[in-house]
Amino acid sequence: ILYAKTESPISGGTSRYLSVVLESDISNSQVSLKEAILEILQEKLKKQNLFLSDGSYSSEILQFTTDKAAGAQSPNFEASIKLKINGLAINANDLNKLVTDRISQTLASNKVLENRLKDDALAFKMKDLDLKNELGILAVHFQGKVWYMVPNLDDYPKQLKGKTADEVNEILIKRDEVERIDVVLMPSWQKRFPWLESKIRLKISEE
């Protein structure tokens, strides 16, 4: 058994960290390249007012290469991909009109769908896709507001003349579009509506 001890510090030598290309690095680069290509495609379609929804397309990798294999000692590597995307692009305006027209058909005659829709009013996803026959079933979720149409007030003074405030409330509150009624009689001691129709003023407030 040999044993040695030095009385002075030891100097010299080297230390270094080795960067190795992992298999997961290559897989992640493939995913990133696919997402980047799809984003570029969506931007091009957007200029034509078209888009690809979730589930409305399929992708096929035709070629994927890297300049370094997994296990190679390198701090970085380059990757390239050739991708084929096949799908059904949807026209945003056509879809919006189709949905709003269909909903409007189900509304009562005294209701109307709000024209100013929010950007997130429509949410959709392709459920069944048949690219061979260029067919698909699109699941759509719509969120918007329905307004009552403003009633014609011209005939109401004839119905309200000579009525008390309670009688007026009873007549008007029957309408579905009426949420609240505020009655103001002038002078304040007046208990009934005027008998002259021209003295009756009706005002609609949308809140």
Side-chain angles (χ1 to χ4, degrees), residues 177-195:
E177 62 269 34
V178 176
E179 181 178 352
R180 191 183 78 239
I181 301 171
D182 296 324
V183 177
V184 178
L185 294 173
M186 297 181 65
S188 58
W189 48 262
Q190 184 69 261
K191 301 300 181 183
R192 292 180 176 273
F193 270 47
W195 286 96

Side-chain angles (χ1 to χ4, degrees), residues 148-176:
Y148 281 100
M149 297 179 64
V150 178
N152 185 357
L153 303 179
D154 294 341
D155 295 332
Y156 277 94
K158 184 183 298 184
Q159 302 178 43
L160 304 180
K161 64 182 181 179
K163 298 290 192 299
T164 65
D166 290 340
E167 291 172 332
V168 169
N169 272 279
E170 186 178 346
I171 293 173
L172 297 180
I173 204 65
K174 292 179 181 179
R175 299 192 62 96
D176 293 333

Side-chain angles (χ1 to χ4, degrees), residues 37-207:
I37 290 176
L38 182 59
E39 185 175 342
I40 293 173
L41 177 59
Q42 291 280 35
E43 286 298 322
K44 290 183 178 180
L45 291 174
K46 188 176 180 180
K47 295 178 181 178
Q48 306 173 53
N49 204 36
L50 300 172
F51 68 93
L52 290 173
S53 68
D54 292 341
S56 68
Y57 62 91
S58 65
S59 61
E60 177 186 356
I61 298 177
L62 302 179
Q63 183 180 352
F64 176 74
T65 59
T66 60
D67 63 341
K68 296 180 178 65
Q73 295 182 5
S74 176
N76 51 55
F77 67 95
E78 293 183 1
S80 63
I81 192 172
K82 184 181 290 185
L83 191 67
K84 178 182 178 181
I85 297 177
N86 190 20
L88 290 176
I90 301 170
N91 186 294
N93 286 343
D94 289 347
L95 177 61
N96 185 30
K97 186 177 186 305
L98 176 65
V99 172
T100 54
D101 285 353
R102 182 65 185 89
I103 293 176
S104 296
Q105 292 174 7
T106 66
L107 298 178
S109 59
N110 62 336
K111 296 180 180 179
V112 63
L113 191 63
E114 183 181 30
N115 290 327
R116 300 185 300 274
L117 298 179
K118 296 181 179 179
D119 293 337
D120 58 350
L122 286 176
F124 29 78
K125 183 177 181 180
M126 189 70 70
K127 293 181 61 178
D128 295 312
L129 182 64
D130 183 0
L131 291 175
K132 182 178 179 180
N133 295 307
E134 298 182 351
L135 296 172
I137 298 177
L138 194 66
V140 180
H141 173 77
F142 175 83
Q143 184 175 348
K145 293 182 178 180
V146 174
W147 299 97
Y148 281 100
M149 297 179 64
V150 178
N152 185 357
L153 303 179
D154 294 341
D155 295 332
Y156 277 94
K158 184 183 298 184
Q159 302 178 43
L160 304 180
K161 64 182 181 179
K163 298 290 192 299
T164 65
D166 290 340
E167 291 172 332
V168 169
N169 272 279
E170 186 178 346
I171 293 173
L172 297 180
I173 204 65
K174 292 179 181 179
R175 299 192 62 96
D176 293 333
E177 62 269 34
V178 176
E179 181 178 352
R180 191 183 78 239
I181 301 171
D182 296 324
V183 177
V184 178
L185 294 173
M186 297 181 65
S188 58
W189 48 262
Q190 184 69 261
K191 301 300 181 183
R192 292 180 176 273
F193 270 47
W195 286 96
L196 289 177
E197 298 176 16
S198 59
K199 297 293 185 179
I200 299 175
R201 300 285 187 271
L202 298 178
K203 180 180 179 182
I204 294 177
S205 177
E206 297 182 9
E207 299 180 355

